[in-house]
Amino acid sequence: MQSTRAKLSDARLSPQKARLVADQIRGLPISNALNILAFSPKKAARVVKKLLESAIANAEHNDGLDVDELSVSSIMVDEAPRLKRFSARAKGRGNRIVKRNCHITLVVSTKQAKN
C-alpha cells in the first residue's frame, strides 16, 4: 500500500468547521470524496477539495500511482496560530476577537489487495 500526502498550512478557516468537512470524506474513494466536496455549500469544502486535487496530482506525477485506485486514507485538521484582534468598546475598553486558523494534512493511498 503506497501513500502520498498533501499539506495546507495556515488555512484561514476555523479548525472546528474544517473537521466537519474532513469527517465526511475520511476513508472514501477519491471519486466519491470529490463528488461530496463539489456539492457541499461550506467554505471548508472548497479548501479541502483543492487540497485533495493536489494530493491526487502528487500521487500521479511524483509516485506514479493509479488515480482510479486511490482513496482518502487519513485527513487531519490541526489548530494553527491564531490571529488576535481588538474591537473598540465603550469607555476606552476593547474586546478581543480571536480569528482561528488550521493546518490540514491529507493522505491518499492505494487500496491494499486482498490475497
Side-chain angles (χ1 to χ4, degrees), residues 8-90:
L8 174 65
S9 297
D10 298 318
R12 250 322 270 128
L13 182 68
S14 151
Q16 185 176 7
K17 293 176 182 177
R19 284 186 192 113
L20 290 174
V21 173
D23 291 341
Q24 289 182 325
I25 66 164
R26 189 175 286 119
L28 294 179
I30 58 164
S31 57
N32 293 359
L34 285 171
N35 202 15
I36 288 171
L37 295 173
F39 293 106
S40 176
K42 297 183 176 290
K43 175 185 173 183
R46 291 195 308 269
V47 174
V48 172
K49 182 175 185 251
K50 201 167 184 180
L51 186 65
L52 178 58
E53 289 169 347
S54 174
I56 293 166
N58 289 346
E60 187 177 14
H61 296 292
N62 298 345
D63 298 334
L65 301 178
D66 185 18
V67 176
D68 297 327
E69 295 179 3
L70 293 176
S71 65
V72 180
S73 60
S74 79
I75 179 168
M76 295 176 291
V77 180
D78 301 318
E79 198 167 316
R82 302 177 196 132
L83 299 175
K84 296 173 181 89
R85 301 290 182 261
F86 283 91
S87 172
R89 306 307 289 172

